[in-house]
Amino acid sequence: MGWETLDLTHAPTEGPVAFGDDLSATTLLGAYRHGLFPFPADTEERKIVSEFTYEADVAAGRIAVLAGSADPYAVAWCSPDPRPVIRVDQARIQRSLRRQLRNKVEWTTTLDVCFDRVVQHCRVGREPRWLTDRLVSALRELHAAGHAHSVEVWEGDELIGGTFGVRVGGVFSADSQFALRSGAAKVAVACLVRRVAESGGVAVDVQHDGDHAKLIGAVAVPRTEYLALLRRHADDQCAMPADPLPARSLAA
C-alpha cells in the first residue's frame, strides 16, 4: 500500500492511522503530501506497546500497515482530525504576543541558517524521543533537496529558539519548536507564518494544538478540509524570503 491508496475516510481521529518501517526521505515526503507525519518508536519497548495497543485496530483494518514492512510497528503515521492550521491570510498575533515582540530589540529571525542545530535542539529532553536518528537523517535529505526548512531566532549571535518542518506546495507542516528564552518558540512560529505568506503560501499546519499556535490564529479544521487544502495547493512553488527579519517587525 502506498500513500496514494491510503483511505483516511474512516481512520482514527487520534493516534496512528497507519504503521510501517520505511523512513526514507522519499516515503517521508510522500507522507506529508498526503497529510501524514511520522512518530517513530525510539525503543523496542515502544514498538511492543504500540503492537499491544493497536493490534485489534490493525486486524480490523481501521489502521493500515504499509506493504513490505518487516518491522511494522517501527513508525506510527498520524493524521489528526481535526487539524490545527494557521491560514496565513487570517493569522492574527494576539495582543500579549505583540507586546512581547515589541520588547525584543536584540532578537532577529533567519531562514535555513542552521537547520541541523534547530532539529538537534528540538530533540533535547523530549520523551518519547520521536526525533530518532533515522528520522533526522531523512529530514536532512529533505532539507538538502529544498523541502524541509528551519526558522531560527537569535539574540545577538546566540541561537535561542526555532522551528522546523516540511513544505508541500503552499502548505508548511511545522514539526517541532524549541526555546531557550521565554517566547522564542512563539516568535519562530510567527516568523514562519510571515515567510510562508510572503512566498505565496496559504497555511501553516502545526500538527498539535498548543498555546503558541493559538496566539497566532491556529484554528482546528476537519481532516477532510486539510487534505483538500493540500491537494489544491500541491503544485504551488514559491521560495520563502531568506533575509534576516527583526522580531519586532512581526508585531506590526
Side-chain angles (χ1 to χ4, degrees), residues 11 28 32 49 52 72 89 102 117 125 129 154 163-164 168 219 240:
L28 185 58
Y32 282 97
V49 170
F52 178 78
D89 60 347
R102 292 189 185 104
R117 285 180 65 189
R129 194 180 176 89
W154 305 86
T163 186
F164 77 90
V168 177
V219 176
M240 289 187 288

Side-chain angles (χ1 to χ4, degrees), residues 64-233:
V65 174
L66 301 185
S69 297
D71 188 14
Y73 291 96
V75 184
W77 297 93
C78 302
S79 183
D81 186 10
R83 188 86 161 231
V85 172
I86 303 170
R87 301 265 190 169
V88 300
D89 60 347
Q90 300 173 11
R92 298 291 184 270
I93 296 179
Q94 292 188 5
R95 185 178 303 171
S96 59
L97 181 55
R98 290 202 304 270
R99 284 199 302 267
Q100 190 175 21
L101 285 167
R102 292 189 185 104
N103 294 327
K104 304 305 181 184
V105 179
E106 297 181 1
W107 286 21
T108 58
T109 70
T110 54
L111 178 77
D112 287 338
V113 167
C114 53
F115 179 86
D116 195 57
R117 285 180 65 189
V118 171
V119 173
Q120 294 302 325
H121 273 293
C122 288
R123 298 178 85 183
V124 175
R126 303 290 174 89
E127 291 294 335
R129 194 180 176 89
W130 62 273
L131 274 168
T132 61
D133 291 345
R134 283 207 304 150
L135 178 53
V136 170
S137 178
L139 286 166
R140 285 173 178 150
E141 286 189 48
L142 292 185
H143 175 62
H147 300 296
H149 302 277
S150 61
V151 168
E152 301 86 18
V153 182
W154 305 86
E155 185 173 69
D157 295 329
E158 183 182 358
L159 180 65
I160 60 169
T163 186
F164 77 90
V166 176
R167 180 162 181 171
V168 177
V171 179
F172 193 102
S173 187
D175 284 305
S176 188
Q177 305 84 36
F178 83 95
L180 303 182
R181 299 282 190 280
S182 176
K186 297 173 187 175
V187 170
V189 175
C191 177
L192 173 62
V193 173
R194 168 75 67 84
R195 291 176 188 271
V196 169
E198 291 181 354
S199 69
V202 296
V204 174
D205 154 41
V206 292
Q207 298 183 356
H208 303 286
D209 214 358
D211 291 340
H212 65 279
K214 291 177 182 177
L215 287 172
I216 307 167
V219 176
V221 302
R223 181 163 57 203
T224 54
E225 184 178 328
Y226 177 70
L227 296 178
L229 186 71
L230 281 174
R231 289 192 296 270
R232 282 198 307 273
H233 297 279

Side-chain angles (χ1 to χ4, degrees), residues 40-48 132:
D42 58 339
T43 64
E44 290 298 321
E45 289 75 14
R46 293 197 193 279
K47 295 179 191 178
I48 293 170
T132 61

